Amino acid sequence: MSIVAIISNTQKLIPDEMISQGGALATVSLILSLCIALLISDTKYCNKWVSNNLDFSSNTLLVLFAAIVASKIMAIL
């Protein structure tokens, strides 16, 4: 029973300020990642490894951005 009490006491709500700051950071990171991917894709330095890493980071940030947008929409509704 004490384990349930410990787990229920550790659940905290995330403040709106933290979500908005994280959203801004994720948005800027996504834009930079996409710009770098576009710039590097036309150079001689682009290979399969670089392309895969840039795609992975862009896709991860895109999922995070979509989750933040969804949470903002849910907060409005």
Side-chain angles (χ1 to χ4, degrees):
M1 204 59 157
S2 63
I3 293 175
V4 174
I6 292 171
I7 291 174
S8 66
N9 288 340
T10 59
Q11 295 176 351
K12 297 180 182 175
L13 295 175
I14 299 173
D16 291 336
E17 299 88 26
M18 186 180 286
I19 292 175
S20 65
Q21 290 173 353
L25 183 63
T27 304
V28 169
S29 299
L30 178 63
I31 292 169
L32 286 175
S33 177
L34 291 173
C35 289
I36 290 170
L38 285 173
L39 290 173
I40 290 182
S41 66
D42 292 334
T43 64
K44 65 179 181 176
Y45 300 109
C46 186
N47 57 25
K48 188 171 178 77
W49 182 78
V50 171
S51 178
N52 286 340
N53 282 334
L54 288 172
D55 288 343
F56 179 74
S57 66
S58 297
N59 291 340
T60 305
L61 287 169
L62 190 59
V63 169
L64 179 63
F65 180 74
I68 291 169
V69 169
S71 70
K72 294 282 187 178
I73 291 172
M74 294 301 287
I76 291 172
L77 298 176

